[in-house]
Every structure is written in C-alpha cells, then in structure tokens.
Amino acid sequence: MDLKWILVMVVGFIAAMVGMNKQKAGVAWGQILAIVGALVAVAGAAMNLTGFFRAGTQSREREARYMYLQSRLLADQLKKDTNAKKVVVICDSSLFLDEWGDPLDKPRESPWLDGVKDAFKGAEVIPVYKKFKIKKPANEQAGMMMPPPMAFGMMSGADWKKIVDEVKKAKPDVIVNIHTFPQEGKLPAALALLKGYKIGFLNSCSNDELRFAFKDGGKAMAEVLAVVMTKSDAVYDETIPSNDKKAFARRFVLVTKDNYEAGMKEANGGR
C-alpha cells in the first residue's frame, strides 16, 4: 500500500461527501465538488492498486533472480572444477510433465535450470527428472475432475534409483542437482549410488550429512564439488544488488570441497 495514494483517496472521498452535502443544501458548486472528489478518490484507489501490482511484479522478479544466481554460481564453480562437456541436471518433473505425467507442449521456464544452462553454454546439458503416469478418467464428466494430488517435489528411493539409471546412461562429466534427494534415507546413501561421478547441488540436507559427504572425497560415493547453502543471516528485503556476486552473498554461501568447514559455519543447512 502506498501512503500518498491512500491520502489522495481519502481526501477525494471527503471532498465528495462534502460536495454531496452541499448539493443537498442547494449550494450550486456542491455537485461539481462531489464529482471532482469522486474522481480524485477513484484515481487514488487506481494508483494505489497499480503500485500494489507493480510491487508484486518486482518481488517475483527479485526472487527469480535469486533462484537464477543460486544455480548460476554453483554451475560456474562446477565448470571451473571440471570443464565439463556433458552435464546432467536433475530437475523437477513439473518443468516437463503435466499433472497426469504427460509431456508438456512446451517446457516451463525455470530460473534454476536457466542458470545451469547459461554457465555451461556450449556444453551438452541433459535434464533428468522423475517420470510418472496417472490414468485419466474414461468418461467426459470424470475428465473434468482434477487428477489425484501428485507431489512433483517428492522423490522416493525408487524414483532416485531410476534417476541414477538415466544418469549412468548419459555418462556425464558432472551432475547438477537443482531439485532434491530422496525423502527417505540419507544423503550418503543417495550419493553412494553415484560413486565415480562428480556432483554439485542446492542443499536440502543436514550439515552432518553434508560434512560427511565432503570428507569422503569421492571414495565411497559421488565426489561433492560444491553446494549452495542459505546463510544463517540471509537478507530478505525489497532490494537486490545489481552485481551478481554481491546479490548472491546477501542470502547464500557457495561451499566447496576446499572451504566446506569454513563455509558451513556461515550457513544454516537449508536451501
């Protein structure tokens, strides 16, 4: 809400009420004041509403840029470490499938996926995601019903094993997980299935699991090269610096295999 336009709206409303009272009393200029006051009140309301929608748009654009920077700076680090020519990106099914599991005519936009693609421009980037299929109702009336709830964000152990199979078929130089790991089980167990590969991800795991994975160094599981973690003192305000690294540092910390002990002290363990 914009205070100045609220004041304009209130002043216009008061002027309109005074004008109507004067008009009833037979004052000639009462009608004019009532009309002008009403127009001012409507204009104030319209400008206030416009400001509200503009603020919402700015907020969405800000959050989209933060999402983009998370994956972009992560992928920049992975490219520096591997100079990968083939990259597998584990991402959300909802980017490519509808609620029934059917392919979308056009993939949905994702700042996270865009960040990886921009960092690895020139490399082969292969999205890998959970596949599912829900049978649609047979009759037309049932077809108007919503499908059973499908948690795109959920990843079971069975789903993860299928993801791993696709990763191994692709034989990537590096894996980027911008989605999640299995809901059940531990991070080391999930990474153990990817032993022999290098990986970086947006963190959704506990600090203990992450520390254990970094210390392993690729001996018993995938080698963790870099992870983006949310800072414990992350800033959530209405502005975002124009400089990418400064903006990133407002909320996130890039934890690498070389700085993970120091880096994790700045983070709270969540995305």
Side-chain angles (χ1 to χ4, degrees):
M1 301 288 278
D2 192 321
L3 182 58
K4 66 175 180 293
W5 293 117
I6 292 176
L7 291 174
V8 169
M9 185 170 59
V10 170
V11 169
F13 177 76
I14 292 173
M17 294 301 294
V18 170
M20 284 190 290
N21 288 333
K22 292 295 184 181
Q23 183 183 6
K24 289 178 182 178
V27 178
W29 49 263
Q31 183 178 16
I32 296 175
L33 179 60
I35 293 172
V36 172
L39 291 174
V40 170
V42 170
M47 293 304 295
N48 187 53
L49 191 60
T50 299
F52 173 78
F53 285 119
R54 185 184 301 117
T57 299
Q58 291 172 344
S59 177
R60 288 190 295 273
E61 290 174 348
R62 182 186 68 241
E63 295 308 311
R65 183 163 172 241
Y66 273 123
M67 292 166 68
Y68 174 86
L69 292 176
Q70 274 185 283
S71 59
R72 176 61 191 264
L73 270 68
L74 170 66
D76 281 343
Q77 181 65 42
L78 298 177
K79 184 176 182 179
K80 177 182 175 183
D81 289 341
T82 64
N83 194 29
K85 302 302 180 185
K86 183 183 285 189
V87 183
V88 157
V89 186
I90 300 172
C91 50
D92 196 324
S93 303
S94 65
L95 301 181
F96 301 94
L97 305 176
D98 66 15
E99 60 269 37
W100 300 101
D102 293 326
L104 296 170
D105 293 334
K106 181 180 179 182
R108 294 187 174 98
E109 294 184 3
S110 166
W112 280 323
L113 185 55
D114 288 344
V116 177
K117 287 181 176 179
D118 287 351
F120 283 104
K121 195 164 288 184
E124 183 181 3
V125 177
I126 306 169
V128 173
Y129 47 91
K130 169 183 172 180
K131 307 294 195 308
F132 64 92
K133 189 67 177 176
I134 299 175
K135 187 177 180 180
K136 294 182 179 179
N139 61 68
E140 185 176 344
Q141 184 177 3
M144 299 296 292
M145 297 170 57
M146 291 295 291
M150 186 66 210
F152 287 109
M154 300 291 285
M155 179 82 74
S156 68
D159 294 328
W160 182 252
K161 288 179 180 178
K162 292 177 182 178
I163 292 288
V164 169
D165 288 341
E166 289 196 51
V167 170
K168 290 181 176 180
K169 288 178 185 177
K171 298 180 180 178
D173 300 314
V174 70
I175 303 164
V176 188
N177 189 352
I178 57 172
H179 185 33
T180 185
F181 288 100
Q183 300 299 310
E184 70 268 17
K186 299 291 184 181
L187 175 67
L191 293 180
L193 296 178
L194 289 169
K195 181 182 176 182
Y197 293 91
K198 301 178 186 295
I199 192 169
F201 48 90
L202 305 180
N203 189 51
S204 58
C205 310
S206 72
N207 284 6
D208 288 341
E209 289 179 310
L210 199 54
R211 185 174 286 107
F212 184 85
F214 270 118
K215 284 183 177 180
D216 177 76
K219 294 189 290 291
M221 62 188 80
E223 182 182 0
V224 180
L225 301 181
V227 177
V228 171
M229 303 182 74
T230 302
K231 296 176 72 172
S232 55
D233 60 349
V235 176
Y236 298 92
D237 57 13
E238 295 302 316
T239 61
I240 180 170
S242 57
N243 180 277
D244 287 349
K245 290 186 177 180
K246 287 183 178 180
F248 178 90
R250 284 278 188 96
R251 294 190 182 180
F252 310 110
V253 56
L254 181 63
V255 182
T256 71
K257 62 179 182 178
D258 299 318
N259 77 349
Y260 69 88
E261 286 293 358
M264 290 175 67
K265 290 180 180 178
E266 295 183 53
N268 63 14
R271 182 177 293 182

